[in-house]
Amino acid sequence: MTKPFLRASLAGALVLVPLAACSESLQEPKMVDQAKIAGSIKADVQTIIDAFNERDADAALAMNARDTRIMSHGQPNMGWDQNLALIRQYVTDPALKLEVENEEVDVAEAGDMALYTATYTWNFSDPNTGEVATEHGNWVMVFKRQSDGSMKIYREVISDTPASDEVAS
């Protein structure tokens, strides 16, 4: 037979355990320094651009998560390996130069995801003429926090815009 004191203690413990779990979920969420994350992402993107312009394909993809998906210029979606192969082709072009403007980074309140947008200018050798050609477009990247705490590119969209003389009046 259980003594009344022991029964009361067990009953009290059974009530307190769920309450303790509830109190943890009611605690204030950790404050995230969104500006710091945004600044870090802009610095990471500059590292990508520098690596691209220095013709270092591996360094240019260092910020991409292994499960990344790239959507570019109406081509089939690419994973990490396909993107690396394509970037390795691009960096052999002597005319290659990439620049960005109008950068914006929106960081989720939890700090686990961020959206980077920019416009880009890309110089490359036209495969038909061999002359230097210039493409302008929009670049969108979704960064996602990884299990190691780093932010990596999870999704990427690269979309050229019509040349100014191609835009209908």
Side-chain angles (χ1 to χ4, degrees):
M1 180 178 308
T2 312
K3 298 189 180 197
F5 174 74
L6 186 55
R7 260 192 308 225
S9 296
L10 287 174
L14 292 174
V15 169
L16 291 177
V17 169
L19 288 176
C22 286
S23 70
E24 285 181 22
S25 65
L26 295 175
Q27 291 176 358
E28 289 293 318
K30 292 181 183 176
M31 294 303 295
V32 173
D33 189 342
Q34 292 172 306
K36 182 178 178 181
I37 294 170
S40 178
I41 287 173
K42 281 184 180 180
D44 288 345
V45 171
Q46 187 58 54
T47 299
I48 292 167
I49 293 165
D50 292 344
F52 199 75
N53 289 332
E54 292 165 4
R55 291 157 178 71
D56 186 342
D58 294 300
L61 284 180
M63 291 289 113
N64 286 68
R66 293 301 286 182
D67 63 344
T68 191
R69 287 287 169 263
I70 295 92
M71 294 146 259
S72 177
H73 304 291
Q75 300 174 8
N77 293 352
M78 292 181 283
W80 197 91
D81 291 327
Q82 297 93 349
N83 195 31
L84 178 60
L86 184 61
I87 298 298
R88 284 183 174 160
Q89 287 179 330
Y90 286 162
V91 298
T92 64
D93 183 350
L96 173 101
K97 184 174 182 183
L98 175 64
E99 297 174 320
V100 297
E101 293 181 312
N102 306 313
E103 293 178 291
E104 291 184 22
V105 180
D106 294 311
V107 179
E109 286 183 30
D112 58 341
M113 295 189 89
L115 178 67
Y116 170 92
T117 60
T119 56
Y120 70 85
T121 302
W122 178 36
N123 292 334
F124 61 98
S125 297
D126 184 309
N128 297 322
T129 66
E131 298 292 318
V132 176
T134 301
E135 175 183 290
H136 299 277
N138 297 304
W139 195 6
V140 179
M141 291 183 272
V142 177
F143 283 76
K144 182 178 177 184
R145 182 136 344 258
Q146 305 297 297
S147 60
D148 66 0
S150 66
M151 294 288 274
K152 298 274 185 175
I153 300 167
Y154 175 66
R155 297 292 184 259
E156 184 172 5
V157 178
I158 303 164
S159 178
D160 54 318
T161 55
S164 58
D165 60 342
E166 295 176 13
V167 176
S169 323

